[in-house]
């Protein structure tokens, strides 16, 4: 699996996520997990698979050791919230 080269490592929104220092997820890019969750949220998917194997490996920076599960959930929430705010405007 390729190491992530996207520039989302320093997203401040990842700062508050819990750490996953010992789990399998510590090697995975929380930024990519967030984006994947966000997509699922925007599509209001009712079933989804985080599929850690499909995520890039984390490089360094704030996304390192962040829980990709939590990042996915945060992204999903933000994606869902975005669809509602669009309806209100
Ligand atoms: Zn990434």
């Amino acid at each position: 699996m390729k190491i992530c080269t996207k520039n989302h490592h320093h997203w401040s929104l990842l700062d508050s996520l819990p750490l996953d220092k010992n789990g399998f997820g510590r090697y995975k890019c929380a930024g990519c997990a967030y984006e994947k969750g966000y997509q699922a949220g925007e599509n209001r998917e009712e079933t989804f698979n985080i599929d850690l194997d499909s995520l890039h490996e984390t490089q360094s920076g704030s996304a390192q050791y962040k829980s990709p599960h939590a990042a996915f959930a945060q992204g999903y929430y933000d994606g869902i919230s975005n669809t509602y705010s669009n309806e209100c405007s």
Side-chain angles (χ1 to χ4, degrees):
M1 186 60 63
K2 291 190 302 183
I3 290 178
C4 182
T5 55
K6 293 183 181 177
N7 63 355
H8 50 218
H9 293 301
H10 301 290
W11 285 355
S12 59
L13 55 86
L14 297 176
D15 287 347
S16 60
L17 296 179
L19 298 174
D20 185 5
K21 284 190 173 176
N22 298 313
F24 175 67
R26 70 187 162 171
Y27 297 118
K28 296 302 178 179
C29 179
C32 288
Y34 178 89
E35 288 185 353
K36 194 169 182 182
Y38 194 93
Q39 277 295 320
E42 281 199 315
N43 296 330
R44 296 194 191 178
E45 293 177 15
E46 293 174 358
T47 60
F48 40 73
N49 182 2
I50 298 177
D51 191 13
L52 288 179
D53 281 336
S54 73
L55 299 174
H56 289 138
E57 289 186 10
T58 189
Q59 199 173 35
S60 62
S62 62
Q64 194 169 30
Y65 298 139
K66 294 296 184 184
S67 166
H69 301 89
F72 185 96
Q74 181 69 52
Y76 185 77
Y77 178 84
D78 289 348
I80 288 282
S81 297
N82 190 41
T83 65
Y84 290 126
S85 62
N86 285 344
E87 285 176 2
C88 291
S89 60

